[in-house]
Amino acid sequence: MIGVKRKGLEKALQFPCEKSGDQRLTPSAFFFGYSLFGFLRVRITHFFTGRLSSFLGNAESYDKKIYEFFLTLRFVIPVYLLYYRFNMPENETPILQVKELRKSYGDVSVLKGVGFDVEEGDLVSIIGPSGCGKSTLLRCLNALEIMDSGTISVAGVTLRRSEGEARVDPRFHNLAHELRQRVGMVFQQFNLFPNKSILENVMLAPLVVKEEPREVAEENALRQLEKVGLGGFAKRFPAQLSGGQQQRAAIARALAMNPKVMLYDEPTSALDPMLVDEVLAVMKALDAEGMTQIVVTHEIRFARDASDYIIYMEQGEIVELSDEDEIFTNPKDERTRRFLHRFL
């Protein structure tokens, strides 16, 4: 019979050993408990002892190896479980959450309790008729417009206002500043400084906002320009570029801040149709890299081809949120069907 003598075990391991007439602590009892002792001894220990004793030596030597193996497991397994506990993926929180977002201009209610979540790496298109609140929603997400009430969480920064709050406290402004550093924004107009080169435009925000050393900012800016296909245009001025190139430079400028989320407010609306595809290609490439993107667009073809899902808005409300196939093949709401009837 294979067993390990009890001598010194309690003191060495500092855990209680049950009394046993056998006075021997087998590996099976040590690791699994005495309830499995008989089963493991008969079914496993005796079976392997006769076959492996010639390879490992006598039974006592084999028994010692088994004991040492289980002794190692006794301490390794808890360490592994602790490691797994602190390194296992958390229940993933959406990188962007919007709850009960409301915004009015005077008596006109523009956003009426809007709410949705965006998972990290998703590309979400927001479509809808002009004046339905799409651009206002996007500007609220970047705190360029101060919401009247609701909650916006982006990459761990949460802005919250209660209904009826008249003043915006300094803490809200500080959080809004922090949030903007995690969100890149691309506008309809390119908004590039005409007196600065493309490289200088892309470097500016990291230099001023993040106070990066100039050489670090320049290296990063060149890398972002390469990413959008403008590596050879760094020294040119905006007036020397086409509209599509300027918009790609604007995307590079937003990427230079290393944002967690990119927001686009109709980025192709000011472009010649021939230049639209080069901007959309950059956005698709960023999607392939895992960048989270929210796009307000009238480019229904792009929304259908590239989006993980689509939000349809009308009159300040989210009417329908669905994946790109379902919303075009089987829209649930009559208002969505009416808007998309040309594309169905």
Side-chain angles (χ1 to χ4, degrees):
M1 179 184 66
I2 293 181
V4 178
K5 295 185 182 298
R6 296 171 61 90
K7 184 178 179 180
L9 279 177
E10 283 190 72
K11 182 177 180 180
L13 301 177
Q14 296 184 353
F15 69 92
C17 294
E18 298 179 16
K19 298 293 182 181
S20 170
D22 186 52
Q23 292 297 302
R24 295 152 73 85
L25 181 63
T26 65
S28 59
F30 173 66
F31 188 66
F32 296 104
Y34 278 86
S35 61
L36 297 177
F37 171 68
F39 174 82
L40 292 175
R41 178 196 298 171
V42 175
R43 296 288 188 269
I44 300 176
T45 309
H46 285 222
F47 177 80
F48 284 106
T49 301
R51 288 159 176 77
L52 296 179
S53 59
S54 60
F55 178 73
L56 296 172
N58 59 40
E60 192 69 28
S61 172
Y62 172 63
D63 182 47
K64 184 180 293 187
K65 288 180 171 60
I66 293 292
Y67 167 69
E68 290 173 352
F69 171 72
F70 281 108
L71 181 63
T72 302
L73 285 184
R74 182 176 179 87
F75 294 100
V76 168
I77 288 178
V79 172
Y80 172 76
L81 292 175
L82 282 173
Y83 174 83
Y84 183 76
R85 167 64 184 86
F86 289 104
N87 289 276
M88 66 187 296
E90 300 288 340
N91 292 329
E92 291 189 3
T93 301
I95 193 169
L96 185 146
Q97 293 180 294
V98 181
K99 298 178 182 177
E100 287 296 315
L101 179 59
R102 299 180 184 277
K103 176 66 180 178
S104 299
Y105 296 107
D107 295 331
V108 179
S109 183
V110 180
L111 298 175
K112 306 172 183 178
V114 170
F116 61 95
D117 294 342
V118 176
E119 301 293 337
E120 186 171 3
D122 281 352
L123 193 158
V124 180
S125 292
I126 303 176
I127 62 174
S130 298
C132 69
K134 304 185 299 297
S135 294
T136 300
L137 169 60
L138 216 63
R139 293 173 67 85
C140 285
L141 295 183
N142 203 19
L144 295 177
E145 294 283 354
I146 304 301
M147 59 185 168
D148 295 339
S149 64
T151 303
I152 298 172
S153 296
V154 181
V157 180
T158 300
L159 302 179
R160 185 179 290 108
R161 294 197 74 202
S162 300
E163 193 169 354
E165 278 189 49
R167 297 181 57 191
V168 180
D169 59 40
R171 183 173 180 274
F172 184 96
H173 284 298
N174 291 336
L175 286 171
H177 179 71
E178 184 178 350
L179 182 145
R180 291 187 198 108
Q181 295 187 51
R182 306 186 184 195
V183 177
M185 185 84 175
V186 178
F187 301 90
Q188 295 181 38
Q189 303 299 325
F190 320 126
N191 296 324
L192 299 171
F193 291 103
N195 61 327
K196 293 182 180 295
S197 70
I198 298 302
L199 178 61
E200 291 171 328
N201 270 277
V202 176
M203 290 172 55
L204 188 60
L207 286 173
V208 174
V209 179
K210 289 189 171 182
E211 298 182 345
E212 289 183 356
R214 187 171 185 85
E215 58 274 14
V216 174
E218 182 173 348
E219 180 182 354
N220 181 39
L222 289 171
R223 185 167 56 250
Q224 303 307 333
L225 287 171
E226 287 287 349
K227 182 179 291 187
V228 300
L230 294 177
F233 297 82
K235 300 299 184 181
R236 294 193 184 184
F237 287 82
Q240 297 173 314
L241 301 181
S242 69
Q245 290 170 333
Q246 290 186 60
Q247 191 63 294
R248 283 187 281 153
I251 293 174
R253 177 182 57 189
L255 291 173
M257 290 293 287
N258 298 314
K260 301 294 185 181
V261 178
M262 286 285 288
L263 308 177
Y264 305 85
D265 187 6
E266 299 188 22
T268 60
S269 64
L271 298 180
D272 185 287
M274 298 294 292
L275 302 175
V276 168
D277 285 347
E278 63 186 57
V279 175
L280 299 183
V282 170
M283 296 163 66
K284 288 182 179 180
L286 291 174
D287 182 48
E289 293 179 5
M291 174 64 72
T292 306
Q293 301 176 90
I294 302 177
V295 188
V296 167
T297 183
H298 289 295
E299 291 289 334
I300 302 300
R301 177 175 58 86
F302 169 78
R304 185 170 190 172
D305 291 344
S307 303
D308 291 294
Y309 55 92
I310 295 172
I311 294 173
Y312 175 67
M313 290 186 65
E314 190 170 307
Q315 295 182 348
E317 299 176 320
I318 291 180
V319 174
E320 193 163 340
L321 189 157
S322 183
D323 67 47
E324 74 282 6
D325 292 323
E326 185 178 18
I327 200 168
F328 285 100
T329 59
N330 187 30
K332 301 293 189 297
D333 194 278
E334 174 59 31
R335 290 170 290 180
T336 311
R337 288 194 291 271
R338 187 170 58 247
F339 179 78
L340 293 174
H341 74 279
R342 292 174 298 162
F343 309 98
L344 298 178

